[in-house]
Amino acid sequence: AQRVTQPEKLLSVFKGAPVELKCNYSYSGSPELFWYVQYSRQRLQLLLRHISRESIKGFTADLNKGETSFHLKKPFAQEEDSAMYYCALAGFNKFYFGSGTKLNVKP
Amino acid sequence: DTEVTQTPKHLVMGMTNKKSLKCEQHMGHRAMYWYKQKAKKPPELMFVYSYEKLSINESVPSRFSPECPNSSLLNLHLHALQPEDSALYLCASSQVGTANTGELFFGEGSRLTVL
């Protein structure tokens, strides 16, 4: 069965500290994985996708098939990074969202 | 235009009412989606339309009736809802066949309250 797990509901860090939001998945085929972000009072939007291997707003995520993980990382968190982050897995024309992690970056 | 527009933003209805949620996009996307999001929960897929045909129904109760009248519009007709149906209803669109690798564009949602 397809499943996305985000073990942390809330992650609080200080500005300038490194941040890692965890995501693990289970999927029977080759997964396509994404991170979506929802800032306060804004719509859900794509942050990055694993196939493009890009860095957006300083965030990166590497797909580790051995550990079935797709953790989101940023070396120096900023206050404007405070938001809700969802890991998502795409397959069979569906997106499966994880339960989300609220990132709170304190000044 | 890279937006998905949803109306109304807020809707309050009684359990005997009939109402509709509307969604519109002009990005040429031929896949459109309805998601339901409860407070502090992730979006849950309800329906997927591909080329204006219903391709996925995630066992949604029949009191929710989707409709895709053309490639730009997606409706969700509501009838005899229950208070537990109160939630944020999100519409999204994408290119067909690229849901696995592409991007979902979300609307801001319609916040529904059932009394």
PDB file of all heavy atoms in Angstrom, chain A residues 16-50:
ATOM      1  N   GLY A  16      18.730  30.473  11.858  1.00  0.00           N
ATOM      2  CA  GLY A  16      20.134  30.170  11.608  1.00  0.00           C
ATOM      3  C   GLY A  16      20.527  28.739  11.895  1.00  0.00           C
ATOM      4  O   GLY A  16      21.613  28.304  11.510  1.00  0.00           O
ATOM      5  N   ALA A  17      19.647  28.000  12.552  1.00  0.00           N
ATOM      6  CA  ALA A  17      19.940  26.602  12.863  1.00  0.00           C
ATOM      7  C   ALA A  17      19.598  25.727  11.669  1.00  0.00           C
ATOM      8  O   ALA A  17      18.741  26.083  10.851  1.00  0.00           O
ATOM      9  CB  ALA A  17      19.135  26.164  14.082  1.00  0.00           C
ATOM     10  N   PRO A  18      20.243  24.559  11.571  1.00  0.00           N
ATOM     11  CA  PRO A  18      19.860  23.633  10.493  1.00  0.00           C
ATOM     12  C   PRO A  18      18.506  23.005  10.800  1.00  0.00           C
ATOM     13  O   PRO A  18      18.124  22.853  11.956  1.00  0.00           O
ATOM     14  CB  PRO A  18      20.978  22.579  10.523  1.00  0.00           C
ATOM     15  CG  PRO A  18      21.472  22.613  11.933  1.00  0.00           C
ATOM     16  CD  PRO A  18      21.328  24.025  12.395  1.00  0.00           C
ATOM     17  N   VAL A  19      17.824  22.650   9.739  1.00  0.00           N
ATOM     18  CA  VAL A  19      16.512  22.026   9.919  1.00  0.00           C
ATOM     19  C   VAL A  19      16.406  20.809   8.998  1.00  0.00           C
ATOM     20  O   VAL A  19      16.916  20.824   7.873  1.00  0.00           O
ATOM     21  CB  VAL A  19      15.371  23.032   9.642  1.00  0.00           C
ATOM     22  CG1 VAL A  19      15.379  23.510   8.214  1.00  0.00           C
ATOM     23  CG2 VAL A  19      14.026  22.433   9.986  1.00  0.00           C
ATOM     24  N   GLU A  20      15.768  19.769   9.518  1.00  0.00           N
ATOM     25  CA  GLU A  20      15.513  18.569   8.721  1.00  0.00           C
ATOM     26  C   GLU A  20      14.104  18.093   9.022  1.00  0.00           C
ATOM     27  O   GLU A  20      13.776  17.783  10.169  1.00  0.00           O
ATOM     28  CB  GLU A  20      16.510  17.459   9.029  1.00  0.00           C
ATOM     29  CG  GLU A  20      16.266  16.198   8.186  1.00  0.00           C
ATOM     30  CD  GLU A  20      17.264  15.088   8.475  1.00  0.00           C
ATOM     31  OE1 GLU A  20      17.461  14.766   9.665  1.00  0.00           O
ATOM     32  OE2 GLU A  20      17.834  14.535   7.508  1.00  0.00           O
ATOM     33  N   LEU A  21      13.272  18.051   8.011  1.00  0.00           N
ATOM     34  CA  LEU A  21      11.918  17.534   8.154  1.00  0.00           C
ATOM     35  C   LEU A  21      11.909  16.137   7.547  1.00  0.00           C
ATOM     36  O   LEU A  21      12.250  15.957   6.380  1.00  0.00           O
ATOM     37  CB  LEU A  21      10.899  18.428   7.441  1.00  0.00           C
ATOM     38  CG  LEU A  21      10.565  19.764   8.093  1.00  0.00           C
ATOM     39  CD1 LEU A  21      11.680  20.789   7.868  1.00  0.00           C
ATOM     40  CD2 LEU A  21       9.246  20.306   7.573  1.00  0.00           C
ATOM     41  N   LYS A  22      11.477  15.181   8.350  1.00  0.00           N
ATOM     42  CA  LYS A  22      11.578  13.790   7.936  1.00  0.00           C
ATOM     43  C   LYS A  22      10.350  13.317   7.159  1.00  0.00           C
ATOM     44  O   LYS A  22       9.224  13.721   7.447  1.00  0.00           O
ATOM     45  CB  LYS A  22      11.796  12.892   9.153  1.00  0.00           C
ATOM     46  CG  LYS A  22      13.094  13.180   9.897  1.00  0.00           C
ATOM     47  CD  LYS A  22      13.347  12.155  10.958  1.00  0.00           C
ATOM     48  CE  LYS A  22      14.539  12.536  11.826  1.00  0.00           C
ATOM     49  NZ  LYS A  22      15.760  12.733  11.021  1.00  0.00           N
ATOM     50  N   CYS A  23      10.628  12.470   6.183  1.00  0.00           N
ATOM     51  CA  CYS A  23       9.568  11.863   5.382  1.00  0.00           C
ATOM     52  C   CYS A  23      10.008  10.456   5.009  1.00  0.00           C
ATOM     53  O   CYS A  23      11.097  10.270   4.460  1.00  0.00           O
ATOM     54  CB  CYS A  23       9.302  12.677   4.127  1.00  0.00           C
ATOM     55  SG  CYS A  23       8.149  11.898   2.969  1.00  0.00           S
ATOM     56  N   ASN A  24       9.174   9.492   5.306  1.00  0.00           N
ATOM     57  CA  ASN A  24       9.391   8.116   4.862  1.00  0.00           C
ATOM     58  C   ASN A  24       8.181   7.661   4.054  1.00  0.00           C
ATOM     59  O   ASN A  24       7.067   8.117   4.289  1.00  0.00           O
ATOM     60  CB  ASN A  24       9.616   7.189   6.055  1.00  0.00           C
ATOM     61  CG  ASN A  24      10.958   7.429   6.701  1.00  0.00           C
ATOM     62  OD1 ASN A  24      11.083   8.262   7.606  1.00  0.00           O
ATOM     63  ND2 ASN A  24      11.970   6.735   6.226  1.00  0.00           N
ATOM     64  N   TYR A  25       8.422   6.773   3.131  1.00  0.00           N
ATOM     65  CA  TYR A  25       7.334   6.359   2.259  1.00  0.00           C
ATOM     66  C   TYR A  25       7.346   4.855   2.063  1.00  0.00           C
ATOM     67  O   TYR A  25       8.354   4.175   2.298  1.00  0.00           O
ATOM     68  CB  TYR A  25       7.451   7.062   0.902  1.00  0.00           C
ATOM     69  CG  TYR A  25       8.660   6.625   0.099  1.00  0.00           C
ATOM     70  CD1 TYR A  25       8.576   5.557  -0.789  1.00  0.00           C
ATOM     71  CD2 TYR A  25       9.878   7.284   0.246  1.00  0.00           C
ATOM     72  CE1 TYR A  25       9.692   5.147  -1.500  1.00  0.00           C
ATOM     73  CE2 TYR A  25      10.987   6.869  -0.468  1.00  0.00           C
ATOM     74  CZ  TYR A  25      10.894   5.805  -1.339  1.00  0.00           C
ATOM     75  OH  TYR A  25      12.000   5.393  -2.043  1.00  0.00           O
ATOM     76  N   SER A  26       6.213   4.345   1.631  1.00  0.00           N
ATOM     77  CA  SER A  26       6.134   2.967   1.149  1.00  0.00           C
ATOM     78  C   SER A  26       5.346   2.998  -0.148  1.00  0.00           C
ATOM     79  O   SER A  26       4.311   3.657  -0.245  1.00  0.00           O
ATOM     80  CB  SER A  26       5.466   2.047   2.178  1.00  0.00           C
ATOM     81  OG  SER A  26       4.142   2.445   2.422  1.00  0.00           O
ATOM     82  N   TYR A  27       5.900   2.322  -1.138  1.00  0.00           N
ATOM     83  CA  TYR A  27       5.278   2.348  -2.479  1.00  0.00           C
ATOM     84  C   TYR A  27       5.774   1.150  -3.244  1.00  0.00           C
ATOM     85  O   TYR A  27       6.949   0.813  -3.192  1.00  0.00           O
ATOM     86  CB  TYR A  27       5.663   3.644  -3.188  1.00  0.00           C
ATOM     87  CG  TYR A  27       4.979   3.855  -4.515  1.00  0.00           C
ATOM     88  CD1 TYR A  27       3.602   4.031  -4.585  1.00  0.00           C
ATOM     89  CD2 TYR A  27       5.708   3.886  -5.700  1.00  0.00           C
ATOM     90  CE1 TYR A  27       2.971   4.226  -5.801  1.00  0.00           C
ATOM     91  CE2 TYR A  27       5.090   4.082  -6.916  1.00  0.00           C
ATOM     92  CZ  TYR A  27       3.716   4.263  -6.965  1.00  0.00           C
ATOM     93  OH  TYR A  27       3.095   4.451  -8.154  1.00  0.00           O
ATOM     94  N   SER A  28       4.880   0.523  -3.998  1.00  0.00           N
ATOM     95  CA  SER A  28       5.236  -0.724  -4.670  1.00  0.00           C
ATOM     96  C   SER A  28       6.034  -0.514  -5.944  1.00  0.00           C
ATOM     97  O   SER A  28       6.702  -1.421  -6.414  1.00  0.00           O
ATOM     98  CB  SER A  28       3.966  -1.515  -4.986  1.00  0.00           C
ATOM     99  OG  SER A  28       3.056  -0.715  -5.699  1.00  0.00           O
ATOM    100  N   GLY A  29       5.971   0.681  -6.527  1.00  0.00           N
ATOM    101  CA  GLY A  29       6.702   0.926  -7.769  1.00  0.00           C
ATOM    102  C   GLY A  29       7.835   1.907  -7.556  1.00  0.00           C
ATOM    103  O   GLY A  29       8.408   1.993  -6.472  1.00  0.00           O
ATOM    104  N   SER A  30       8.165   2.644  -8.601  1.00  0.00           N
ATOM    105  CA  SER A  30       9.172   3.705  -8.483  1.00  0.00           C
ATOM    106  C   SER A  30       8.466   4.998  -8.099  1.00  0.00           C
ATOM    107  O   SER A  30       7.675   5.514  -8.864  1.00  0.00           O
ATOM    108  CB  SER A  30       9.899   3.890  -9.816  1.00  0.00           C
ATOM    109  OG  SER A  30      10.685   2.778 -10.111  1.00  0.00           O
ATOM    110  N   PRO A  31       8.763   5.510  -6.948  1.00  0.00           N
ATOM    111  CA  PRO A  31       7.991   6.666  -6.465  1.00  0.00           C
ATOM    112  C   PRO A  31       8.448   7.980  -7.084  1.00  0.00           C
ATOM    113  O   PRO A  31       9.599   8.147  -7.461  1.00  0.00           O
ATOM    114  CB  PRO A  31       8.280   6.648  -4.967  1.00  0.00           C
ATOM    115  CG  PRO A  31       9.675   6.117  -4.877  1.00  0.00           C
ATOM    116  CD  PRO A  31       9.789   5.096  -5.983  1.00  0.00           C
ATOM    117  N   GLU A  32       7.494   8.879  -7.171  1.00  0.00           N
ATOM    118  CA  GLU A  32       7.813  10.266  -7.478  1.00  0.00           C
ATOM    119  C   GLU A  32       7.456  11.050  -6.230  1.00  0.00           C
ATOM    120  O   GLU A  32       6.318  10.983  -5.767  1.00  0.00           O
ATOM    121  CB  GLU A  32       6.991  10.765  -8.668  1.00  0.00           C
ATOM    122  CG  GLU A  32       7.214   9.988  -9.957  1.00  0.00           C
ATOM    123  CD  GLU A  32       8.600  10.186 -10.529  1.00  0.00           C
ATOM    124  OE1 GLU A  32       9.289  11.140 -10.118  1.00  0.00           O
ATOM    125  OE2 GLU A  32       9.012   9.386 -11.392  1.00  0.00           O
ATOM    126  N   LEU A  33       8.398  11.745  -5.685  1.00  0.00           N
ATOM    127  CA  LEU A  33       8.185  12.397  -4.383  1.00  0.00           C
ATOM    128  C   LEU A  33       8.332  13.898  -4.484  1.00  0.00           C
ATOM    129  O   LEU A  33       9.117  14.415  -5.295  1.00  0.00           O
ATOM    130  CB  LEU A  33       9.166  11.824  -3.367  1.00  0.00           C
ATOM    131  CG  LEU A  33       8.773  10.416  -2.938  1.00  0.00           C
ATOM    132  CD1 LEU A  33       9.974   9.591  -2.574  1.00  0.00           C
ATOM    133  CD2 LEU A  33       7.798  10.476  -1.764  1.00  0.00           C
ATOM    134  N   PHE A  34       7.568  14.561  -3.652  1.00  0.00           N
ATOM    135  CA  PHE A  34       7.474  16.013  -3.672  1.00  0.00           C
ATOM    136  C   PHE A  34       7.425  16.539  -2.237  1.00  0.00           C
ATOM    137  O   PHE A  34       7.022  15.833  -1.317  1.00  0.00           O
ATOM    138  CB  PHE A  34       6.176  16.469  -4.360  1.00  0.00           C
ATOM    139  CG  PHE A  34       5.987  15.946  -5.751  1.00  0.00           C
ATOM    140  CD1 PHE A  34       5.526  14.654  -5.963  1.00  0.00           C
ATOM    141  CD2 PHE A  34       6.246  16.738  -6.840  1.00  0.00           C
ATOM    142  CE1 PHE A  34       5.339  14.163  -7.240  1.00  0.00           C
ATOM    143  CE2 PHE A  34       6.062  16.268  -8.129  1.00  0.00           C
ATOM    144  CZ  PHE A  34       5.600  14.980  -8.328  1.00  0.00           C
ATOM    145  N   TRP A  35       7.783  17.782  -2.089  1.00  0.00           N
ATOM    146  CA  TRP A  35       7.493  18.533  -0.866  1.00  0.00           C
ATOM    147  C   TRP A  35       6.604  19.716  -1.255  1.00  0.00           C
ATOM    148  O   TRP A  35       6.939  20.476  -2.184  1.00  0.00           O
ATOM    149  CB  TRP A  35       8.758  19.039  -0.195  1.00  0.00           C
ATOM    150  CG  TRP A  35       9.405  18.009   0.669  1.00  0.00           C
ATOM    151  CD1 TRP A  35      10.450  17.189   0.352  1.00  0.00           C
ATOM    152  CD2 TRP A  35       9.052  17.681   2.019  1.00  0.00           C
ATOM    153  NE1 TRP A  35      10.762  16.373   1.413  1.00  0.00           N
ATOM    154  CE2 TRP A  35       9.913  16.656   2.445  1.00  0.00           C
ATOM    155  CE3 TRP A  35       8.092  18.164   2.919  1.00  0.00           C
ATOM    156  CZ2 TRP A  35       9.852  16.096   3.725  1.00  0.00           C
ATOM    157  CZ3 TRP A  35       8.030  17.612   4.183  1.00  0.00           C
ATOM    158  CH2 TRP A  35       8.906  16.586   4.580  1.00  0.00           C
ATOM    159  N   TYR A  36       5.475  19.820  -0.546  1.00  0.00           N
ATOM    160  CA  TYR A  36       4.572  20.954  -0.699  1.00  0.00           C
ATOM    161  C   TYR A  36       4.630  21.778   0.579  1.00  0.00           C
ATOM    162  O   TYR A  36       4.841  21.255   1.676  1.00  0.00           O
ATOM    163  CB  TYR A  36       3.135  20.493  -0.952  1.00  0.00           C
ATOM    164  CG  TYR A  36       2.862  20.186  -2.397  1.00  0.00           C
ATOM    165  CD1 TYR A  36       3.305  18.999  -2.965  1.00  0.00           C
ATOM    166  CD2 TYR A  36       2.186  21.089  -3.206  1.00  0.00           C
ATOM    167  CE1 TYR A  36       3.067  18.727  -4.313  1.00  0.00           C
ATOM    168  CE2 TYR A  36       1.939  20.828  -4.542  1.00  0.00           C
ATOM    169  CZ  TYR A  36       2.392  19.642  -5.090  1.00  0.00           C
ATOM    170  OH  TYR A  36       2.165  19.387  -6.422  1.00  0.00           O
ATOM    171  N   VAL A  37       4.393  23.087   0.422  1.00  0.00           N
ATOM    172  CA  VAL A  37       4.447  23.986   1.579  1.00  0.00           C
ATOM    173  C   VAL A  37       3.185  24.851   1.597  1.00  0.00           C
ATOM    174  O   VAL A  37       2.634  25.205   0.541  1.00  0.00           O
ATOM    175  CB  VAL A  37       5.708  24.872   1.547  1.00  0.00           C
ATOM    176  CG1 VAL A  37       5.756  25.745   0.308  1.00  0.00           C
ATOM    177  CG2 VAL A  37       5.822  25.721   2.801  1.00  0.00           C
ATOM    178  N   GLN A  38       2.732  25.131   2.799  1.00  0.00           N
ATOM    179  CA  GLN A  38       1.571  26.011   2.967  1.00  0.00           C
ATOM    180  C   GLN A  38       1.927  27.067   4.003  1.00  0.00           C
ATOM    181  O   GLN A  38       1.995  26.785   5.202  1.00  0.00           O
ATOM    182  CB  GLN A  38       0.352  25.214   3.405  1.00  0.00           C
ATOM    183  CG  GLN A  38      -0.938  26.009   3.366  1.00  0.00           C
ATOM    184  CD  GLN A  38      -2.158  25.120   3.468  1.00  0.00           C
ATOM    185  OE1 GLN A  38      -2.124  24.054   4.075  1.00  0.00           O
ATOM    186  NE2 GLN A  38      -3.262  25.546   2.865  1.00  0.00           N
ATOM    187  N   TYR A  39       2.188  28.279   3.511  1.00  0.00           N
ATOM    188  CA  TYR A  39       2.439  29.400   4.409  1.00  0.00           C
ATOM    189  C   TYR A  39       1.103  29.890   4.957  1.00  0.00           C
ATOM    190  O   TYR A  39       0.043  29.638   4.380  1.00  0.00           O
ATOM    191  CB  TYR A  39       3.172  30.520   3.668  1.00  0.00           C
ATOM    192  CG  TYR A  39       4.513  30.111   3.120  1.00  0.00           C
ATOM    193  CD1 TYR A  39       4.670  29.827   1.760  1.00  0.00           C
ATOM    194  CD2 TYR A  39       5.617  29.980   3.943  1.00  0.00           C
ATOM    195  CE1 TYR A  39       5.895  29.429   1.246  1.00  0.00           C
ATOM    196  CE2 TYR A  39       6.850  29.577   3.436  1.00  0.00           C
ATOM    197  CZ  TYR A  39       6.968  29.300   2.086  1.00  0.00           C
ATOM    198  OH  TYR A  39       8.181  28.893   1.579  1.00  0.00           O
ATOM    199  N   SER A  40       1.178  30.619   6.062  1.00  0.00           N
ATOM    200  CA  SER A  40      -0.036  31.101   6.707  1.00  0.00           C
ATOM    201  C   SER A  40      -0.890  31.903   5.738  1.00  0.00           C
ATOM    202  O   SER A  40      -0.401  32.807   5.065  1.00  0.00           O
ATOM    203  CB  SER A  40       0.344  31.963   7.914  1.00  0.00           C
ATOM    204  OG  SER A  40      -0.807  32.455   8.548  1.00  0.00           O
ATOM    205  N   ARG A  41      -2.150  31.502   5.638  1.00  0.00           N
ATOM    206  CA  ARG A  41      -3.147  32.196   4.803  1.00  0.00           C
ATOM    207  C   ARG A  41      -2.809  32.160   3.310  1.00  0.00           C
ATOM    208  O   ARG A  41      -3.274  33.008   2.550  1.00  0.00           O
ATOM    209  CB  ARG A  41      -3.342  33.644   5.265  1.00  0.00           C
ATOM    210  CG  ARG A  41      -3.892  33.763   6.663  1.00  0.00           C
ATOM    211  CD  ARG A  41      -4.325  35.181   6.986  1.00  0.00           C
ATOM    212  NE  ARG A  41      -4.783  35.290   8.355  1.00  0.00           N
ATOM    213  CZ  ARG A  41      -4.001  35.551   9.392  1.00  0.00           C
ATOM    214  NH1 ARG A  41      -2.712  35.721   9.205  1.00  0.00           N
ATOM    215  NH2 ARG A  41      -4.492  35.641  10.604  1.00  0.00           N
ATOM    216  N   GLN A  42      -2.002  31.209   2.899  1.00  0.00           N
ATOM    217  CA  GLN A  42      -1.700  31.052   1.477  1.00  0.00           C
ATOM    218  C   GLN A  42      -2.078  29.646   1.013  1.00  0.00           C
ATOM    219  O   GLN A  42      -2.272  28.749   1.817  1.00  0.00           O
ATOM    220  CB  GLN A  42      -0.221  31.313   1.204  1.00  0.00           C
ATOM    221  CG  GLN A  42       0.206  32.750   1.432  1.00  0.00           C
ATOM    222  CD  GLN A  42       1.611  33.018   0.968  1.00  0.00           C
ATOM    223  OE1 GLN A  42       2.103  32.368   0.022  1.00  0.00           O
ATOM    224  NE2 GLN A  42       2.279  33.958   1.604  1.00  0.00           N
ATOM    225  N   ARG A  43      -2.163  29.475  -0.277  1.00  0.00           N
ATOM    226  CA  ARG A  43      -2.544  28.176  -0.805  1.00  0.00           C
ATOM    227  C   ARG A  43      -1.371  27.203  -0.760  1.00  0.00           C
ATOM    228  O   ARG A  43      -0.213  27.600  -0.700  1.00  0.00           O
ATOM    229  CB  ARG A  43      -3.043  28.321  -2.242  1.00  0.00           C
ATOM    230  CG  ARG A  43      -2.011  28.780  -3.261  1.00  0.00           C
ATOM    231  CD  ARG A  43      -2.670  29.062  -4.602  1.00  0.00           C
ATOM    232  NE  ARG A  43      -3.501  30.247  -4.558  1.00  0.00           N
ATOM    233  CZ  ARG A  43      -4.475  30.500  -5.423  1.00  0.00           C
ATOM    234  NH1 ARG A  43      -4.765  29.641  -6.374  1.00  0.00           N
ATOM    235  NH2 ARG A  43      -5.186  31.608  -5.323  1.00  0.00           N
ATOM    236  N   LEU A  44      -1.717  25.950  -0.790  1.00  0.00           N
ATOM    237  CA  LEU A  44      -0.717  24.884  -0.843  1.00  0.00           C
ATOM    238  C   LEU A  44       0.046  24.988  -2.168  1.00  0.00           C
ATOM    239  O   LEU A  44      -0.561  25.146  -3.221  1.00  0.00           O
ATOM    240  CB  LEU A  44      -1.452  23.541  -0.759  1.00  0.00           C
ATOM    241  CG  LEU A  44      -0.699  22.272  -0.440  1.00  0.00           C
ATOM    242  CD1 LEU A  44       0.035  22.391   0.884  1.00  0.00           C
ATOM    243  CD2 LEU A  44      -1.672  21.107  -0.399  1.00  0.00           C
ATOM    244  N   GLN A  45       1.356  24.916  -2.095  1.00  0.00           N
ATOM    245  CA  GLN A  45       2.148  25.075  -3.314  1.00  0.00           C
ATOM    246  C   GLN A  45       3.363  24.150  -3.293  1.00  0.00           C
ATOM    247  O   GLN A  45       3.871  23.782  -2.240  1.00  0.00           O
ATOM    248  CB  GLN A  45       2.607  26.527  -3.473  1.00  0.00           C
ATOM    249  CG  GLN A  45       3.414  27.069  -2.310  1.00  0.00           C
ATOM    250  CD  GLN A  45       3.694  28.551  -2.443  1.00  0.00           C
ATOM    251  OE1 GLN A  45       4.449  28.964  -3.314  1.00  0.00           O
ATOM    252  NE2 GLN A  45       3.080  29.350  -1.588  1.00  0.00           N
ATOM    253  N   LEU A  46       3.802  23.811  -4.498  1.00  0.00           N
ATOM    254  CA  LEU A  46       4.953  22.929  -4.632  1.00  0.00           C
ATOM    255  C   LEU A  46       6.222  23.628  -4.170  1.00  0.00           C
ATOM    256  O   LEU A  46       6.481  24.778  -4.537  1.00  0.00           O
ATOM    257  CB  LEU A  46       5.097  22.510  -6.094  1.00  0.00           C
ATOM    258  CG  LEU A  46       6.289  21.624  -6.428  1.00  0.00           C
ATOM    259  CD1 LEU A  46       6.111  20.245  -5.811  1.00  0.00           C
ATOM    260  CD2 LEU A  46       6.454  21.511  -7.942  1.00  0.00           C
ATOM    261  N   LEU A  47       7.004  22.938  -3.363  1.00  0.00           N
ATOM    262  CA  LEU A  47       8.298  23.463  -2.957  1.00  0.00           C
ATOM    263  C   LEU A  47       9.394  22.851  -3.835  1.00  0.00           C
ATOM    264  O   LEU A  47      10.161  23.563  -4.464  1.00  0.00           O
ATOM    265  CB  LEU A  47       8.566  23.151  -1.485  1.00  0.00           C
ATOM    266  CG  LEU A  47       9.907  23.642  -0.926  1.00  0.00           C
ATOM    267  CD1 LEU A  47      10.018  25.154  -1.000  1.00  0.00           C
ATOM    268  CD2 LEU A  47      10.084  23.172   0.518  1.00  0.00           C
ATOM    269  N   LEU A  48       9.440  21.530  -3.864  1.00  0.00           N
ATOM    270  CA  LEU A  48      10.393  20.900  -4.761  1.00  0.00           C
ATOM    271  C   LEU A  48       9.988  19.454  -5.032  1.00  0.00           C
ATOM    272  O   LEU A  48       9.171  18.873  -4.319  1.00  0.00           O
ATOM    273  CB  LEU A  48      11.826  20.975  -4.232  1.00  0.00           C
ATOM    274  CG  LEU A  48      12.157  20.500  -2.835  1.00  0.00           C
ATOM    275  CD1 LEU A  48      12.292  18.999  -2.769  1.00  0.00           C
ATOM    276  CD2 LEU A  48      13.492  21.113  -2.365  1.00  0.00           C
ATOM    277  N   ARG A  49      10.572  18.919  -6.114  1.00  0.00           N
ATOM    278  CA  ARG A  49      10.280  17.548  -6.523  1.00  0.00           C
ATOM    279  C   ARG A  49      11.609  16.802  -6.689  1.00  0.00           C
ATOM    280  O   ARG A  49      12.608  17.416  -7.058  1.00  0.00           O
ATOM    281  CB  ARG A  49       9.485  17.516  -7.823  1.00  0.00           C
ATOM    282  CG  ARG A  49      10.261  17.979  -9.041  1.00  0.00           C
ATOM    283  CD  ARG A  49       9.358  18.363 -10.204  1.00  0.00           C
ATOM    284  NE  ARG A  49       8.918  19.734 -10.101  1.00  0.00           N
ATOM    285  CZ  ARG A  49       8.079  20.327 -10.935  1.00  0.00           C
ATOM    286  NH1 ARG A  49       7.543  19.631 -11.912  1.00  0.00           N
ATOM    287  NH2 ARG A  49       7.748  21.581 -10.778  1.00  0.00           N
ATOM    288  N   HIS A  50      11.603  15.536  -6.407  1.00  0.00           N
ATOM    289  CA  HIS A  50      12.883  14.827  -6.346  1.00  0.00           C
ATOM    290  C   HIS A  50      13.522  14.680  -7.715  1.00  0.00           C
ATOM    291  O   HIS A  50      14.738  14.650  -7.815  1.00  0.00           O
ATOM    292  CB  HIS A  50      12.730  13.476  -5.650  1.00  0.00           C
ATOM    293  CG  HIS A  50      12.481  12.329  -6.588  1.00  0.00           C
ATOM    294  ND1 HIS A  50      11.217  11.926  -6.946  1.00  0.00           N
ATOM    295  CD2 HIS A  50      13.341  11.508  -7.243  1.00  0.00           C
ATOM    296  CE1 HIS A  50      11.305  10.912  -7.779  1.00  0.00           C
ATOM    297  NE2 HIS A  50      12.578  10.625  -7.977  1.00  0.00           N
TER     298      HIS A  50
END
